[in-house]
RNA sequence: GCGCCCGUAGCUCAGCUGGAUAGAGCGACGGCCUCCGGAGCCGUAGGUCAGAGGUUCGAAUCCUCUCGGGCGUGCCA
């Protein structure tokens, strides 16, 4: 992959390979796309591998023959220690001192990709969390929240201008239903005492009542019409009050998760922008009447279901507001990408949204990108994994999960590190991180199996495991009682035995790029596990503080760099790295 | 019915967009501190990459079909 040329070492390799190819009489332009440097399957082969398959085609030679020629043509220099051919592959090894100097130096200088990149012209809008505030905020809502939060940090790190947007569901029928429930059964005192839980009660109560009394939905629809009329009426005041209460309630989980937004603009924000959006759709000539509703047909794009923009009763829908939001964002931010971190079950919705924009020949259509993720499943009666049914009232509130995790961490600290200062604060950090890490560990699209045992596991591939590596590194730096030595005074040849750590660190650039390109924070989660693993292994065999001065200094610099990079990587996930735990 | 997603070790997952002998964690079993943090380290066992075709010098990865699981399928979000 071309993106591997993110370090000076790779650029150097790339140039040497091209020069060698030219010397072998292969045209540079023809050769360049075939120069794909990547990590070898097995690191025993070397640090970087080049499969000579494509190049062989350009050179009209057999791959093993060309690989052999390249291996002899590229002689070692102050960066390349050795070049060897193994069948159709050319394997390169970096000079250990050059490797160490490059990686450690770049990390310490916070040079990109290890530190933040310079600003690019990328503008990324990320729509995440976006809870429907008339529904309980439970474990299922955490995914969009933490994935989006991480993507926001990742794109910032890469130099993009990022707008993190909480597109609150504070409009539409769900809100009207909540309003109706409150008007029927509501109690102000209970609402203020525990808004989230109380609204969950109301939500369940509405569901039950609507079953017995189907007319209730009609009542809710009437309230919504009244709200959407724009008049200053009871519905409007009720909406304001419930919205305020909900927002306050959501702030709790957001604070604990360390999640922030640049804009909190709910669906209601687009209330006065929908007319303009509808006009634009009409002008584009794509709006049609169907069974009393106003729709856009997308059959020519392979989508059978029309996108309904106005219901037969004249009110608007989710689609209408999302469309208005796209136009607003286009005008306000000029985004190159608009990411919607929303569950996979809403794929059709975003296909339709994008489809309507395409049909309108709006350039912004290309920027619209659904970032789907899997469901949260719970273990059902028969031991089968099934969808969480908040309707049935078995929702697990996020706070409960976080509290459980924090409490368990607290007992572990009491047992393993009883003298730890600020133990409660550290327990909060580590416990919450464990839950977040667990959610960001697997690929987005995988369903998350909610299981207390794995949720509260702190050994192996977990957040605490990575944080523990940070804590060990910090501990060594503390005990050194001297500042980290300056880079230019280091004999990097002393770090020959740290090659695995260094090579892992060097992967960071491609990992972050991939995380951004594919909207996949798990790439970074896996990186932190890999690096933490190498660190734990390294520290076991290589003592720092007791080593002779030249070795000690070199290792101290390495420890510092590893700690910094691990901290940066965790930060991109929205996870703190405590110095002690 | 149609559309989309998933299927890799007992369990939970990686596998860097087609490359070399498919890797981790948990669980099981066996080891490791007179030494900077044992939330750790090292090792053993465990695989028809759901199945069958196809493309390719080369397939867990791309294409087709089959099976299994899930999600979605005009006036909810």
């Amino acid at each position: 992959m071309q993106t591997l040329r993110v370090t000076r070492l790779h650029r150097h390799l790339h140039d040497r390979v091209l020069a060698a190819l030219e010397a072998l009489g292969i045209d540079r332009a023809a050769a360049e796309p075939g120069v794909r440097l990547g990590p070898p399957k097995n690191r025993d082969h070397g640090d970087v591998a080049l499969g000579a398959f494509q190049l062989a085609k350009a050179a009209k030679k057999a791959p093993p023959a060309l690989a052999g020629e390249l291996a002899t043509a590229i002689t070692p220099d102050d960066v390349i220690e050795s070049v060897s051919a193994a069948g159709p592959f050319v394997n390169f090894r970096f000079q250990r001192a050059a490797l160490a100097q490059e990686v450690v130096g770049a990390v310490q200088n916070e040079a990109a990709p290890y530190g933040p990149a310079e600003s690019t012209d990328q503008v990324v809008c990320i729509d995440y969390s976006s809870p429907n505030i008339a529904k309980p905020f439970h474990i299922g809502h955490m995914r969009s929240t933490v994935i989006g939060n991480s993507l926001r940090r990742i794109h910032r790190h890469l130099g993009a201008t990022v707008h993190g947007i909480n597109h609150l569901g504070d409009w539409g029928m769900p809100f009207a239903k909540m309003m109706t429930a409150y008007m029927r059964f509501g109690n102000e005192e209970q609402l203020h005492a525990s808004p989230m839980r109380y609204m969950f009660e109301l939500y369940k109560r509405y569901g039950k009542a609507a079953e017995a009394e189907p007319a209730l939905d009609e009542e809710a629809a009437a309230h919504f019409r009244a709200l959407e009329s724009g008049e200053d009426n009871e519905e409007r005041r009720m909406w304001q009050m419930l919205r305020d209460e909900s927002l306050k309630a959501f702030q709790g989980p957001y604070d604990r998760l360390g999640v922030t937004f640049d804009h909190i603009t709910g669906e209601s924000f687009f209330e006065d922008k929908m007319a303009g959006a509808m006009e634009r759709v009409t002008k584009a000539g794509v709006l049609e009447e169907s069974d009393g509703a106003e729709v856009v047909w997308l059959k020519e794009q392979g989508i059978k279901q029309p996108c309904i923009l106005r219901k037969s009763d004249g009110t608007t829908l989710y689609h209408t507001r999302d469309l208005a939001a796209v136009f607003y964002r286009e005008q306000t931010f000029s985004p190159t990408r608009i990411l919607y971190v929303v569950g996979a079950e809403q794929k059709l919705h975003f296909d339709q949204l994008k489809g309507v924009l395409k049909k309108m020949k709006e350039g912004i259509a290309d920027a619209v990108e659904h970032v789907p993720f899997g469901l949260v499943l719970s273990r059902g009666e028969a031991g089968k994994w099934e969808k969480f049914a908040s309707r049935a009232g078995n929702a697990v509130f996020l706070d409960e999960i976080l509290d459980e995790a924090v409490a368990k961490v607290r007992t572990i600290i009491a047992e393993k590190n009883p003298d730890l200062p600020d133990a409660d604060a550290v327990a909060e950090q580590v416990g919450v991180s464990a839950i977040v890490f667990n959610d960001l560990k697997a690929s987005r699209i995988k369903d998350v199996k909610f299981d207390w045992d794995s949720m509260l596991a702190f050994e192996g591939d977990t957040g605490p495991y990575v944080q523990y590596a940070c804590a060990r590194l910090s501990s060594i730096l503390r005990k050194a009682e001297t500042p980290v030595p300056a880079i230019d005074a280091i004999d990097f040849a002393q770090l020959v035995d740290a090659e695995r750590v260094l090579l892992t660190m060097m992967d960071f650039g491609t990992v972050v790029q991939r995380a951004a390109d594919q909207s996949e924070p798990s790439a970074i989660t896996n990186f932190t596990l890999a690096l933490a693993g190498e660190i734990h292994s390294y520290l076991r065999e290589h003592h720092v503080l007791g080593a002779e001065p030249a070795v000690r200094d070199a290792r101290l610099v390495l420890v510092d760099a590893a700690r910094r990079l691990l901290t940066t990587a965790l930060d991109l996930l929205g996870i703190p790295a405590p110095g002690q735990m």
Side-chain angles (χ1 to χ4, degrees):
Chain A
M1 251 183 112
Q2 298 297 322
T3 45
L4 256 179
R5 295 163 57 200
V6 288
T7 68
R8 280 205 297 267
L9 298 185
H10 284 96
R11 270 195 293 276
H12 177 84
L13 254 191
H14 190 262
D15 292 344
R16 288 292 313 272
V17 171
L18 275 183
L21 285 166
E22 242 171 335
L24 290 171
I26 299 159
D27 182 59
R28 194 187 181 94
E32 185 138 24
V35 181
R36 295 173 26 162
L37 299 165
K41 184 85 184 169
N42 184 333
R43 271 196 165 147
D44 295 338
H45 294 305
D47 301 337
V48 179
L50 171 68
F53 305 98
Q54 270 100 338
L55 292 171
K57 206 169 274 181
K60 297 195 168 65
K61 287 179 182 170
L66 181 66
E69 285 173 37
L70 275 174
T72 37
I74 302 170
T75 50
D77 58 22
D78 54 355
V79 167
I80 302 168
E81 182 187 283
S82 66
V83 187
S84 60
F89 293 93
V90 187
N91 293 315
F92 301 90
R93 237 178 103 83
F94 294 122
Q95 297 281 0
R96 269 28 205 162
L99 171 68
Q101 183 159 20
E102 161 66 25
V103 175
V104 171
V107 171
Q108 225 165 36
N109 294 330
E110 297 192 352
Y114 307 106
E118 294 192 10
S119 307
T120 66
D121 55 2
Q122 290 287 304
V123 179
V124 184
C125 287
I126 309 177
D127 187 318
Y128 60 104
S129 194
S130 308
N132 197 309
I133 61 182
K135 291 182 183 176
F137 193 85
H138 57 80
I139 178 71
H141 294 88
M142 189 173 75
R143 300 214 73 200
S144 172
T145 307
V146 300
I147 291 169
N149 186 53
S150 175
L151 291 177
R152 174 168 173 262
R153 290 159 179 267
I154 290 165
H155 281 106
R156 271 225 171 121
H157 185 84
L158 291 173
T161 302
V162 184
H163 298 280
I165 304 170
N166 192 352
H167 187 70
L168 289 175
D170 59 356
W171 204 251
M173 276 304 285
F175 211 93
K177 288 179 184 178
M178 177 60 64
M179 190 185 292
T180 307
Y182 185 76
M183 285 169 158
R184 280 259 185 128
F185 332 108
N187 173 301
E188 197 170 340
E189 232 168 82
Q190 290 183 49
L191 177 71
H192 290 314
S194 178
M196 204 179 294
R197 261 148 238 266
Y198 184 61
M199 285 175 79
F200 184 43
E201 291 307 315
L202 284 179
Y203 175 79
K204 282 192 288 188
R205 196 157 164 191
Y206 180 95
K208 227 177 260 174
E211 238 169 76
E213 186 192 341
L216 202 57
D217 281 343
E218 187 37 52
E219 191 177 322
H223 284 312
F224 183 49
R225 281 194 295 275
L227 179 63
E228 206 169 34
S229 72
E231 286 163 26
D232 185 15
N233 50 24
E234 196 194 348
E235 281 82 0
R236 170 81 29 182
R237 283 189 296 278
M238 186 68 56
W239 169 79
Q240 189 67 51
M241 191 274 288
L242 287 171
R243 184 177 189 276
D244 290 348
E245 283 301 324
S246 307
L247 264 181
K248 259 189 274 173
F250 285 130
Q251 205 49 50
Y254 286 148
D255 286 344
R256 292 187 80 178
L257 294 170
V259 170
T260 50
F261 302 92
D262 304 300
H263 313 277
I264 298 184
T265 45
E267 292 186 65
S268 63
F269 178 79
F270 299 99
E271 184 191 353
D272 61 359
K273 297 169 182 66
M274 284 187 283
M278 288 302 285
E279 200 177 316
R280 204 155 153 180
V281 181
T282 310
K283 270 191 185 151
V286 298
L287 201 61
E288 292 177 48
E289 189 276 335
S290 174
D291 295 335
E294 293 176 37
V295 311
V296 178
W297 288 101
L298 302 165
K299 286 178 184 166
E300 69 282 0
Q301 292 183 45
I303 301 172
K304 286 177 183 158
Q305 299 84 348
C307 179
I308 300 175
L309 292 175
R310 195 190 299 280
K311 297 199 282 187
S312 45
D313 74 352
T315 57
T316 59
L317 295 106
Y318 183 31
H319 270 123
T320 328
R321 292 182 280 281
D322 259 350
L323 199 60
V326 170
F327 293 143
Y328 173 81
R329 289 170 189 174
E330 178 185 30
Q331 191 194 328
T332 314
F333 308 122
S334 304
T336 45
R337 292 174 83 181
I338 307 177
L339 307 179
Y340 293 87
V341 186
V342 179
E345 67 274 18
Q346 290 194 42
K347 182 181 186 298
L348 177 61
H349 170 80
F350 290 101
D351 284 349
Q352 289 176 319
L353 179 66
K354 195 166 174 147
V356 169
L357 291 165
K358 254 193 230 168
K359 190 162 184 174
M360 292 172 70
K361 300 200 168 29
E362 295 281 351
I364 197 72
D366 296 331
V368 170
E369 239 178 284
H370 180 207
V371 178
F373 54 85
L375 271 44
V376 178
L377 306 178
S378 62
R379 186 84 76 170
E381 308 279 312
K384 267 182 68 175
W385 289 107
E386 49 195 46
K387 194 176 172 178
F388 250 102
S390 60
R391 206 168 296 262
N394 71 347
V396 181
F397 285 91
L398 184 56
D399 267 330
E400 286 172 30
I401 295 162
L402 298 181
D403 288 346
E404 285 276 346
V406 170
K408 187 172 171 195
V409 170
R410 191 64 188 82
T411 63
I412 293 173
I413 290 175
E415 178 189 315
K416 298 184 188 255
N417 198 356
D419 302 326
L420 180 70
D422 292 324
D424 289 331
V426 173
E428 170 75 16
Q429 280 193 327
V430 175
V432 171
S433 300
I435 303 300
V436 172
F437 193 93
N438 184 259
D439 216 11
L440 291 175
K441 196 165 67 172
S443 315
R444 276 182 353 243
I445 202 66
K446 297 266 184 188
D447 291 337
V448 164
K449 283 120 181 165
F450 180 83
D451 168 57
W452 282 107
D453 287 343
S454 63
M455 195 77 71
L456 298 180
F458 303 140
E459 288 170 13
D461 284 354
T462 65
Y465 172 83
V466 178
Q467 289 176 318
Y468 183 64
C470 290
R472 284 183 75 181
L473 294 168
S474 300
S475 169
I476 291 169
L477 293 171
R478 262 196 314 276
K479 287 181 177 158
E481 291 180 340
T482 52
V484 176
I487 285 283
D488 43 16
I490 297 302
D491 174 13
F492 282 103
Q494 302 296 338
L495 292 178
V496 277
D497 48 20
E499 58 177 7
R500 291 174 61 93
V501 176
L502 292 164
L503 288 166
T504 303
M505 289 171 75
M506 199 166 57
D507 286 340
F508 185 67
T510 40
V511 166
V512 178
Q513 191 59 54
R514 190 155 54 91
D517 291 345
Q518 302 176 0
S519 299
E520 192 62 270
S522 67
I524 294 174
T525 317
N526 287 318
F527 171 84
T528 64
L529 287 168
L531 183 52
E534 293 299 347
I535 290 298
H536 280 306
S537 298
Y538 181 79
L539 293 181
R540 171 82 184 183
E541 299 298 328
H542 307 89
H543 281 234
V544 177
L545 302 178
E548 57 174 287
V551 177
R552 176 188 145 113
D553 281 357
R555 288 182 181 169
L556 270 177
V557 167
L558 174 73
V559 163
D560 180 57
R563 199 204 92 250
R564 283 171 187 255
L565 187 53
L566 223 34
T567 304
T568 300
L570 284 175
D571 183 63
L572 294 182
L573 299 170
I575 293 176
Q580 300 182 65
M581 61 188 271

